[in-house]
Amino acid sequence: MKYLNIFIAFFRSGILGYGGGPSSIPLVHKEVVGTFKWMNDDEFSDVLALANTLPGPINTKMAGYIGYRVAGILGLLTALFATMVPTIILMILLLTFLSSIKDQPWVHGMVKAVIPVVCVMMATLTWDFLKKSKDSLGWKVAVGIVVVSFILIEFVGIHPGIIIGVLLVAAIVKRDKAKEVEQTIEKGVGM
């Protein structure tokens, strides 16, 4: 049953994620966090950040990691299969069909209509993460990270992967320091 759920989750997000990886992220989030509850929002955002730093399609990387985390190697293979194979089959069928009608005006309109939908989906996911970061970081720090990241990416020209990597390292260091403080407090109480 676990493997069937993995297949269903990643098949749905893979088949409905029109427009590439970024459009699939909210769908994967809904399946993994909302429907099957394999992760919470914080864990999902960590997986998303890690997947963004690695090369290759984001949906495939996330599927592989989440499948492995839920059900080991067989879960990884199931998630990858569910993500890739339906898309490959549909691509072959759709590209064959679209090549015959690609110059029609309604096809151009259909493609243009998808862009705002993907933008709204990404904005909704971003807002959800920003709201949740208020609890862990506070508004000032969360907005500060967003503003500084935007400036570094848009005006300084630093690659987003580098910024994500730095933030991941900072989060790991912060967690380690918090654990050290906790252990020091526990040792002090135990005396």
Side-chain angles (χ1 to χ4, degrees):
M1 188 67 171
K2 187 187 311 183
Y3 300 108
L4 179 62
N5 288 340
I6 292 171
F7 182 84
I8 289 170
F10 289 102
F11 180 83
R12 282 193 291 218
S13 65
I15 203 98
L16 297 174
Y18 177 78
S23 64
S24 299
I25 294 169
L27 300 172
V28 172
H29 179 266
K30 173 130 179 61
E31 295 293 334
V32 171
V33 176
T35 304
F36 294 104
K37 299 182 185 351
W38 291 323
M39 296 180 166
N40 61 33
D41 285 319
D42 292 335
E43 293 168 325
F44 184 83
S45 61
D46 290 344
V47 170
L48 177 61
L50 182 61
N52 272 319
T53 62
L54 299 173
I58 191 161
N59 198 27
T60 309
K61 293 179 284 188
M62 291 177 65
Y65 175 79
I66 294 167
Y68 180 78
R69 181 174 168 169
V70 172
I73 295 292
L74 198 52
L76 177 142
L77 295 174
T78 303
L80 290 177
F81 180 78
T83 300
M84 292 186 302
V85 171
T87 305
I88 292 169
I89 293 169
L90 281 175
M91 288 286 291
I92 292 168
L93 295 174
L94 287 174
L95 288 176
T96 303
F97 175 68
L98 284 177
S99 67
S100 65
I101 60 166
K102 66 182 176 189
D103 296 325
Q104 298 294 323
W106 63 271
V107 173
H108 292 286
M110 182 178 72
V111 171
K112 289 180 182 175
V114 170
I115 293 171
V117 173
V118 172
C119 288
V120 168
M121 289 170 57
M122 292 301 292
T124 302
L125 184 65
T126 301
W127 178 248
D128 287 343
F129 282 145
L130 192 59
K131 283 192 309 190
K132 291 195 178 16
S133 68
K134 176 193 136 204
D135 297 335
S136 60
L137 298 173
W139 279 115
K140 290 180 183 178
V141 174
V143 171
I145 290 172
V146 169
V147 169
V148 169
S149 298
F150 179 78
I151 291 169
L152 290 173
I153 291 169
E154 290 299 319
F155 300 113
V156 179
I158 295 177
H159 191 277
I162 294 171
I163 294 171
I164 292 169
V166 168
L167 290 173
L168 282 172
V169 169
I172 291 169
V173 168
K174 183 179 176 185
R175 284 183 185 165
D176 288 344
K177 286 184 180 179
K179 285 181 184 178
E180 285 178 20
V181 169
E182 247 179 56
Q183 290 172 350
T184 305
I185 292 172
E186 286 175 6
K187 287 179 183 176
V189 172
M191 293 180 144

